Amino acid sequence: MQRRFLRVIATFARRRYRLVFAVTAVWMLAAGLAASRLRFDPDFLNLLPQEAKEIQTYRRNLEEFGSVDYLLVAIRIPEGAIVEPYESLAGRLGQRLAALPELGSVEYELGDLEELLATFLPQAMLFLDEAGHEQVLAKTSDEALALRARELRRLITTPQALTLKRLVLLDPLGLSEVFLDRLNTARVGLSLDWSSGYLLSRDHRMLLLLGKPSRPPQDVEFNKRLVAVVGREVDALRAEWPELSKGTAEFPEVVLGGRYVIALGDEALIRRDAIINVVTSFSGVLLLFLFAFRRFGVLAYAFLPLSCGLLLTFGFSYLAFGVLNSATSGVAALLIGLGIDFVIVSYGRFVEERRRGATFENALESMSGSSGRAVVVGAVTSAATFYAFAVTEFTGLAQMGLLTGTGILFCMVAVLFLLPSLLAWSHDRHERRRTDQRLFLHDLGSSWLIRTSLRRPRLVLGLALAATALASWLASGLRFEDSVKAMRPAGNPGTEVWEEVATRFGSGFEQMNLVASAPGLDEVLELAHEAAAEAARLVESGVIDDYDGIDSVIPPPSQQAIALAWLARERRGRLDPEAIRARFDAALSAAGLRPAPFARGLELFTAAVEREEPLGLSDFRESAQASRLLDRYLVRTADGWRSSVYLYPPPQVWRRDAPPEAYAAAERLGPRVELTGANVISAFLRQRVLRDARTAAALGYVLVAVLLWIDFRNLRDTLLALVPLSIGVVWMLGGMALLGVAMNFMNIFVTTMIIGIGVDYGIHMVHRYRELGGSEKKAYTAGLGETGKAIVLAALSTVVGFGSLSLSHYPGLQSMGKVAILGAAATCLVAITVLPAYLSLRITRHEERRGSLP
């Protein structure tokens, strides 16, 4: 029934090929128009399981607290240059950027210290623990006041930064030491030289501006506009630089980084990769096709069906998803590598029949009826294995599986209709010209391998058994690369600047977060303080280097209560502000300083001592700078409030997983506190991807086995067709270990892909064996040899097609290409050596049985 239907298609294509061409052109035009509207999605998070709680928490934390959603504008200060002109540049640039509608806010300086001190100094005593109480009392002793007065004279009379001079005037007793480090940490966890007043790295080689854009980084068109307007402002300042620097310094390099620039770079890389994959795989496959068949005219037999299948696939992609991402951008290479197999096997059979003297119609019938059936079975089994990706929760891989599986079927249909039509058109053309077609198919060494396997089957099987044992042993040492960052492309300028900023300013962009949620403000603040207490214990035990949370600006209620009680006891005794002021004025006079300039600072100290109410949110409403600090830790949501505590691990430590102590801390805090971070996501993905990969591979294998049994209706032939796949996968894994190619989140699913690729080779061999049933061994050698030519050429085309993935900028796709090359080569080698060797023994047994009959 199936062969009859395929022959009907071939007969229709032979007689009505002009109609086939016209209908194909219409479909290709419609699909091309749809494909032209595809967008490119650079957001890596969209590739991950969207329903997973861990992913949702991580994404929500990014969106609500924006801990990494900054536009980083970095000014690289030349080596040996003085800092002051570049600070002026940062200030001027910050003012310009703050006026841009694309940026909601820009942080480029620590702010007006007078405003910050006026806000925080009256609350400074509430941040103190019992040890801090003793330190304050020590600072207000007669000896300490006299020492402080002499130190102030030295600071004022020695050339220092203007900011530091203002600081000592506003805080003559040095109470700002209590909270300045807290405010320093609160600047996105950055390690700063706060004495400059700007976001200056401690090595004085970089100034930083943090822009908060008005749109999310997933909006690529917005990102382009944002980068362009920032670039224009930098160029405008370049023209003003001689006046600004008074000609004493060179203009610095101003670079942009962060997720907005990363997304922009990734979008360009995805677009470029998609184009490169199509061009290189198409070119490589066509050149291989030309080499094997030795005719320029046959390029059309490959080019047109593949082009039709690709356009239909990308048109379907627009209807199904509307976007391409870093996973689906490689679909073109997969389809070219797989779709060309159908052309090679079909046209190879046509060439074989014609060279044996068959008429055009008979050769077309053999191609469509015999090889066509193997093509359909191979296409359906390949598509089924890619559809098995639907069981994974990884959105990117599920989309890739759906597109590739559907694309394989599109390519199959295109080959079934277009190849007979193209052959008919070419035949009629040669008939009119009374010329003969030159028919040739290079064996690429396959004939020798198949003949040797048929002649020396036991030797071949013995070598295969040894190779399989060695590969199994090597595969046991395969390692798994579970770093999410390892999947990101190299060379993205946004990532490079991000890493440079993280290096110069500390680990502020590598944090974990304890995120507390509650319906009420008091509840979430209490949870946040409990989380901060857990974080402090992690610091004490050496698990993390530092933390900061809401208690950086609002101390825990219990700590405030202790501080207020201590103030109530001491403000009329050792902390009497009037008595301390009188003694300090005398110390200043003795040091040769006038007390008057320090009056404002002493008033702030008096306010701190006289404080009787706990610190709350209302204390921050009148200060814009203080409010922005608070926004870093506290956000109001549709269902209540959320607060985040930032945990900073040691550099290069806990990058692939969170420390067990952090998980335990989150567990103790209860279900309303969640631990999140890039390392938490890496650990989650490692567990989930292994489970999904095993499930997809098992499902794909079972689907293929069922489809083969439906086709062969014979268990032994079904198992025979699975031999190249089963052994080839073991050889592939051993080859990966030998070459040092690690498993990762992407290439682990190549095993499922190889099920769809490698099984085709076994299908073609077993189909040809069944077709030759009852023939002499010489006929088997010739028939299997011709099929082997097509299999080797198909495998090489798959290698070329998948090889283009190794040119991708994305390490995940690169590794997928390398692993797929190993898998295709291994399964092909098994199909043309091990399978013929076993079939040779089977053929010999059948001949011996026939010879023993009377």
Side-chain angles (χ1 to χ4, degrees), residues 111-361:
D112 187 335
L113 280 181
E114 187 170 356
E115 179 186 337
L116 282 174
L117 290 174
T119 302
F120 282 98
L121 264 178
Q123 282 74 264
M125 300 296 185
L126 302 182
F127 288 93
L128 301 177
D129 55 15
E130 293 184 3
H133 299 164
E134 295 303 319
Q135 291 176 5
V136 169
L137 292 175
K139 279 179 175 287
T140 57
S141 67
D142 290 339
E143 296 80 3
L145 292 176
L147 182 62
R148 178 64 176 173
R150 292 193 295 273
E151 177 67 13
L152 289 175
R153 178 178 176 82
R154 186 187 65 80
L155 290 173
I156 291 173
T157 57
T158 302
Q160 295 286 342
L162 177 61
T163 300
L164 187 56
K165 292 181 179 180
R166 290 173 56 200
L167 173 62
V168 298
L169 291 175
L170 290 168
D171 180 29
L173 299 181
L175 291 183
S176 58
E177 296 173 4
V178 174
F179 62 87
L180 265 180
D181 282 341
R182 292 174 179 269
L183 299 183
N184 178 23
T185 302
R187 295 287 177 163
V188 203
L190 300 176
S191 177
L192 303 170
D193 179 358
W194 51 263
S195 65
S196 75
Y198 290 90
L199 305 187
L200 176 67
S201 62
R202 291 187 183 273
D203 64 0
H204 288 197
R205 292 302 96 197
M206 180 172 283
L207 283 157
L208 186 63
L209 295 86
L210 301 174
K212 189 67 176 171
S214 56
R215 298 279 301 163
Q218 292 80 11
D219 189 338
V220 174
E221 292 304 316
F222 170 79
N223 296 348
K224 293 178 181 177
R225 188 168 69 251
L226 174 65
V227 170
V229 296
V230 172
R232 284 198 293 270
E233 296 300 332
V234 172
D235 290 340
L237 281 176
R238 188 188 305 273
E240 300 175 10
W241 178 247
E243 177 185 352
L244 190 63
S245 66
K246 297 181 174 56
T248 60
E250 61 177 298
F251 190 79
E253 186 179 6
V254 180
V255 292
L256 306 182
R259 287 191 71 199
Y260 289 84
V261 184
I262 291 172
L264 199 56
D266 282 358
E267 189 267 348
L269 291 177
I270 291 172
R271 187 185 300 273
R272 191 182 313 160
D273 280 359
I275 295 172
I276 290 175
N277 286 339
V278 172
V279 172
T280 56
S281 55
F282 234 127
S283 302
V285 164
L286 291 179
L287 287 174
L288 181 63
F289 207 71
L290 177 63
F291 173 77
F293 291 104
R294 303 291 177 86
R295 282 183 59 212
F296 280 100
V298 301
L299 295 182
Y301 303 157
F303 180 79
L304 290 177
L306 285 180
S307 298
C308 180
L310 286 177
L311 278 176
L312 290 174
T313 301
F314 285 115
F316 172 77
S317 176
Y318 171 74
L319 297 177
F321 310 118
V323 298
L324 286 180
N325 52 47
S326 59
T328 54
S329 65
V331 165
L334 300 179
L335 290 180
I336 291 171
L338 295 170
I340 194 66
D341 292 3
F342 309 147
V343 180
I344 290 170
V345 172
S346 298
Y347 184 63
R349 182 59 182 273
F350 175 81
V351 170
E352 177 190 347
E353 295 296 328
R354 289 286 278 163
R355 292 180 66 189
R356 284 186 355 196
T359 64
F360 175 81
E361 281 71 18

Side-chain angles (χ1 to χ4, degrees), residues 804-820:
S804 68
L805 291 180
S806 63
L807 303 176
S808 171
H809 290 83
Y810 285 82
L813 284 179
Q814 289 176 12
S815 66
M816 284 180 67
K818 294 173 184 176
V819 175

Side-chain angles (χ1 to χ4, degrees), residues 372-488:
R373 182 181 178 188
V375 165
V376 170
V377 174
V380 171
T381 54
S382 296
T385 57
F386 280 97
Y387 286 145
F389 284 136
V391 301
T392 179
E393 295 181 10
F394 287 79
T395 305
L397 288 171
Q399 290 179 356
M400 185 192 71
L402 176 61
L403 286 186
T404 307
T406 305
I408 288 171
L409 298 181
F410 282 144
C411 288
M412 177 197 72
V413 173
V415 169
L416 292 178
F417 280 93
L418 278 176
L419 184 57
S421 299
L422 290 166
L423 290 172
W425 171 79
S426 178
H427 175 74
D428 289 351
R429 179 168 165 270
H430 282 279
E431 285 285 306
R432 288 193 300 271
R433 295 183 177 184
R434 297 184 180 181
T435 57
D436 293 327
Q437 292 178 308
R438 186 159 58 91
L439 302 173
F440 179 83
L441 175 57
H442 202 297
D443 68 2
L444 300 168
S446 61
S447 297
W448 178 83
L449 282 172
I450 291 176
R451 285 197 305 270
T452 302
S453 300
L454 290 169
R455 290 172 184 168
R456 307 290 296 277
R458 289 181 173 81
L459 174 62
V460 171
L461 291 175
L463 291 174
L465 181 62
T468 304
L470 176 61
S472 300
W473 177 73
L474 289 172
S476 64
L478 264 179
R479 64 186 180 87
F480 190 89
E481 173 58 68
D482 56 5
S483 172
V484 174
K485 287 194 172 183
M487 297 295 99
R488 298 205 60 84

